[in-house]
Amino acid sequence: MRVILAIWAAKILVIIGKLVGKKGSSTPGSVALKICPDMLRILAKKVPEIAVICGTNGKTTTNNLLCAIMQASGRRVICNHIGANMLAGVACAFAVNADIFGRIHADFAAIEVDEFSAVKVFEHFKPNFMIITNLFRDQLDRYGEIDIAISRLQQAIDMAPNCKLVLNADDPLVAAFACDNSLEVHYFGVGERVFEDDAEDTGERVTDGLFCRKCGEKLKYEYIHYNQLGRFFCTKCGFCRPHADTEAQNVELRAEGGLAFDVWGARIDVNYRGFYNIYNILAAMSVASLSGATDVVQPPSEHTQDADSSKINLAPVTRALADYQPQIGRMQMYKIGGKEFIFNLSKNPAGFNQAIKTIGNDPESAVIIAINDNEQDGIDISWIWDVDFELLNAARVFACGTRRDDLRVRLKYAETAAVTMCATVRDALEAARRGGEARVYVLVNYTALFPTEKLLNEMARRRRNP
Amino acid sequence: MKIAHLYPELLNLYGDRGNILAMTKRLEWRGIDAEVVRVLDGDNVLFSDFDIVFLGGGSDREQEIVAQNLSRLRDSLSEYVEQNGVVLAICGGYQLLGEYYQMGDEQIEGLGILKVTTERGERRMIGNAAIKADFLDRPIVGFENHGGATRLNGHTPLGKVIFGHGNNGTDGAEGVRYKNVFGTYLHGPLLPKNPHFCDYILECANAELTPLDDAVELRANDYVQARYKPQK
């Protein structure tokens, strides 16, 4: 009975939240867990398979892609779509998917979980699959050094003895999770040199994970994709980039946007930007295949139960990828007054550097950057000095956010030309809209995400109905 | 000017790269050549070849690796310090210059170049901070994030805490100054927002400096002072 009460409470609070325009789902979730601390455990038990997605970057996109592929294969899926990834947000996702009698009609749950919440969440359910996307430094003042994230994830893994691990083969910090347990492990990765960087020369770039997690020796690389991701090997203990059963090859990154690669003998071609999206797609495909979503459905006849049964049915993947709409602020595209506005959440150095790499050399563009230092952003903004602003090449750059003065200093020392300070993101958007550049990139950190989305939506609406 | 950046692959938390950038750009903008030598683990260096030595902050695990590596270079560094060589050490690097860092039952041996000692405190000291050094008119601002509480044991602090925790959260002292050694918990990173302190350090290393336009840097310095000063 308490369960049903808790579900009702969560549902009502979500509706009230929507009415007053709040997007969060943590309050309904925590209220529900207060009413019935067992709610999540009871509801999760009713879902046959649960996949959990952890890692610093790419959680939300991977989670949504996995959900889309599973749905395209006909599964009913529970998913915490917008990224409420602490215990309360996870509880809320299950509660809103239950009916008012406490029944749940789902075949699968795709749940992203914050690295530091995994231990708490696993007290309520043990997942069948656990994806770890990557590990980068993020909000040191809130979470501490990357070593702490690693030990928390290890604790969580130790709690789930029947979980299949799905790990990024290219990230030595992630691949090392396979070493200390007897779990079934699957890997995804990009198995070829894509960028022409000198693998050994990490130069002034700042990267964690350069040292072997097993023996402490400095890792060597055949090639590096970005940060510590690449074909690594340790000359001391032999730890090396494992073979990936879901591996991308013949990668093509198109300058005008879009990317393509081979995997499982087929070609995947999508219109998203960003090399890192290859990892997101591979991770989602890996779990989808492990749970049988890409199996060829055999007619119940004895004749066809032969060699063909090992073939892969890619239809759910291609359908899901073609229809996929990026979540807010994931290289999201707006057309406003004949201009492209590309909106991206960039909240830690690795994510920011990937955004800069994706923008590439685009001297025709304007770039708006907003850096806030509210509690949810992390109050320490020193990480902006780990971002390679030196590689940014745009016609104009606008600095906004509460810490725009610090950003301005950073850009001065990167010797970025043509920087304008704006008190608000709105001012910057208006100035960029009036300017001569063909494209405007809008890179914001966390607490600027939803307000900026609102502004972009307003601008897009206004320009459509003048 | 020759700057030694010690163990940049291990000691690089909290935007330490910004400190190197601040020193090199502020030299280059004045037409002074700046060379940064990255000293990696296993490298042998003679500190007397350098004008400035920089030590950044790292995680506890990384700090242990550095402590082992640096112990081989201890004598060379100690001699450099006694002959008024310039050292800037931040956070973990600052702790390493002292005698030890006691973490519960475990003790990391420091270099013992300074008499300072550090013990893990009851809770981490995190937040924006400002201090006043008596050799500079303008306050030094930054961000501190440390679990260790440091005692100076007779040394002079770098500055007095205006707001923030400082060395240990109790005695109002922040950092250390000994000859031309500057140790501090302030990152943010430290030097870009404190151009006056950056130039002071460069001058200690005998650089002849012409004035620069620091309006942008000083505004960031003012902002931290104005926004985070506790309201009375």
Side-chain angles (χ1 to χ4, degrees), chain A residues 78-204:
Chain A
I78 294 176
C79 182
N80 53 344
H81 290 280
I82 59 162
N85 60 17
M86 307 221 230
L87 178 62
V90 173
C92 184
F94 280 85
V96 297
N97 275 280
D99 67 17
I100 53 168
F101 307 108
R103 291 175 304 208
I104 222 161
H105 306 283
D107 309 300
F108 191 89
I111 302 293
E112 72 159 277
V113 177
D114 172 83
E115 296 78 82
F116 289 80
S117 301
V119 171
K120 278 186 215 152
V121 170
F122 286 15
E123 282 169 11
H124 297 259
F125 64 79
K126 317 282 186 246
N128 304 81
F129 309 100
M130 182 172 177
I131 296 174
I132 304 179
T133 57
N134 48 54
L135 284 168
F136 302 117
R137 59 174 64 180
D138 188 14
Q139 299 190 21
L140 294 166
D141 58 302
R142 281 176 89 189
Y143 299 136
E145 298 131 11
I146 204 162
D147 299 347
I148 300 171
I150 290 171
S151 71
R152 290 290 173 80
L153 278 175
Q154 189 61 59
Q155 271 179 329
I157 291 170
D158 293 343
M159 292 167 74
N162 297 312
C163 175
K164 291 177 181 158
L165 291 180
V166 177
L167 304 179
N168 187 332
D170 297 341
D171 185 341
L173 292 174
V174 171
F177 281 116
C179 302
D180 303 323
N181 56 65
S182 53
L183 301 184
E184 184 179 325
V185 182
H186 298 266
Y187 295 98
F188 58 95
V190 179
E192 63 179 13
R193 178 188 294 271
V194 179
F195 304 100
E196 291 307 314
D197 294 0
D198 181 358
E200 291 297 305
D201 175 28
T202 49
E204 282 290 325

Side-chain angles (χ1 to χ4, degrees), chain A residues 272-448:
Chain A
Y272 329 140
R273 285 162 190 267
F275 173 79
Y276 53 89
N277 273 317
I278 298 175
Y279 287 114
N280 298 333
I281 295 169
L282 294 175
M285 286 175 75
S286 178
V287 170
S289 83
L290 289 170
S291 85
T294 57
D295 289 354
V296 175
V297 183
Q298 299 287 346
S301 131
E302 279 182 33
H303 264 318
T304 45
Q305 297 273 326
D306 50 22
D308 262 3
S309 62
S310 65
K311 272 203 171 169
I312 296 158
N313 170 24
L314 268 181
V317 175
T318 45
R319 206 160 49 234
L321 293 179
D323 295 343
Y324 184 75
Q325 293 294 322
Q327 293 297 305
I328 82 161
R330 269 72 180 189
M331 283 289 163
Q332 198 186 358
M333 175 90 81
Y334 286 84
K335 288 256 187 211
I336 299 169
K339 260 183 204 214
E340 283 180 357
F341 282 68
I342 297 149
F343 177 37
N344 197 56
L345 172 67
S346 304
K347 59 186 168 61
N348 53 33
F352 226 115
N353 284 335
Q354 281 299 294
I356 288 173
K357 202 163 183 172
T358 304
I359 294 171
N361 262 347
D362 193 350
E364 305 277 284
S365 68
V367 178
I368 296 171
I369 303 169
I371 302 291
N372 285 343
D373 68 344
N374 299 312
E375 200 67 35
Q376 285 173 290
D377 300 303
I379 56 173
D380 179 6
I381 47 88
S382 61
W383 60 272
I384 63 174
W385 290 81
D386 293 339
V387 176
D388 299 323
F389 285 109
E390 285 78 1
L391 302 178
L392 192 65
N393 181 16
R396 275 194 302 170
V397 178
F398 297 90
C400 13
T402 54
R403 294 308 285 264
R404 58 185 175 277
D405 291 322
D406 281 83
L407 177 60
R408 182 69 192 86
V409 177
R410 174 68 189 99
L411 293 171
K412 177 175 175 181
Y413 284 81
E415 302 191 281
T416 310
V419 181
T420 309
M421 302 280 279
C422 287
T424 65
V425 176
R426 183 191 292 272
D427 293 348
L429 286 168
E430 280 301 326
R433 187 181 62 76
R434 286 191 305 266
E437 299 85 4
R439 264 170 310 283
V440 182
Y441 295 93
V442 186
L443 310 179
V444 304
N445 70 343
Y446 194 74
T447 59

Side-chain angles (χ1 to χ4, degrees), chain A residues 137 218 373 406 413 415, chain B residues 9 12 25 193 217 228:
Chain A
R137 59 174 64 180
K218 189 172 174 196
D373 68 344
D406 281 83
Y413 284 81
E415 302 191 281
Chain B
E9 295 171 329
N12 60 18
K25 291 290 173 196
K193 269 197 289 276
E217 291 89 336
Y228 297 102

Side-chain angles (χ1 to χ4, degrees), chain B residues 42-220:
Chain B
D43 287 359
N44 261 320
V45 285
L46 201 56
F47 287 104
S48 52
D49 291 345
F50 292 95
D51 301 294
I52 296 173
V53 172
F54 176 74
L55 265 166
S59 70
D60 291 346
R61 185 179 56 90
E62 291 165 330
Q63 219 164 300
E64 270 188 78
I65 303 175
V66 170
Q68 285 164 14
N69 271 302
L70 253 184
S71 61
R72 290 185 305 113
L73 304 176
R74 188 205 173 275
D75 292 345
S76 168
L77 186 59
S78 175
E79 196 186 310
Y80 171 82
V81 167
E82 291 309 317
Q83 288 171 358
N84 295 318
V86 178
V87 178
L88 175 62
I90 293 178
C91 211
Y94 165 37
Q95 294 169 347
L96 274 173
L97 292 181
E99 291 184 344
Y100 61 81
Y101 180 10
Q102 185 78 40
M103 295 188 286
D105 296 334
E106 204 192 342
Q107 191 176 69
I108 298 182
E109 286 300 310
L111 293 170
I113 288 172
L114 304 177
K115 290 194 294 277
V116 305
T117 55
T118 303
E119 285 175 33
R120 175 162 287 173
E122 276 168 29
R123 52 189 181 143
R124 279 190 91 82
M125 292 171 254
I126 304 179
N128 287 282
I131 65 169
K132 176 74 181 69
D134 55 17
F135 55 89
L136 293 171
D137 292 333
R138 174 182 271 273
I140 300 170
V141 301
F143 192 95
E144 57 181 335
N145 183 352
H146 51 109
T150 296
R151 299 276 158 196
L152 293 181
N153 303 321
H155 280 296
T156 312
L158 177 65
K160 280 201 189 77
V161 174
I162 302 171
F163 58 88
H165 301 277
N167 283 336
N168 47 48
T170 52
D171 65 11
E174 206 294 317
V176 71
R177 166 96 194 253
Y178 170 70
K179 297 192 175 223
N180 281 331
V181 178
F182 304 88
T184 177
Y185 278 117
L186 297 184
H187 61 266
L190 174 73
L191 297 182
K193 269 197 289 276
N194 297 292
H196 52 313
F197 187 31
C198 185
D199 284 356
Y200 183 85
I201 289 172
L202 295 175
E203 279 171 342
C204 285
N206 299 318
E208 283 181 29
L209 302 180
T210 49
L212 291 175
D213 175 5
D214 291 333
V216 165
E217 291 89 336
L218 295 180
R219 202 156 78 181

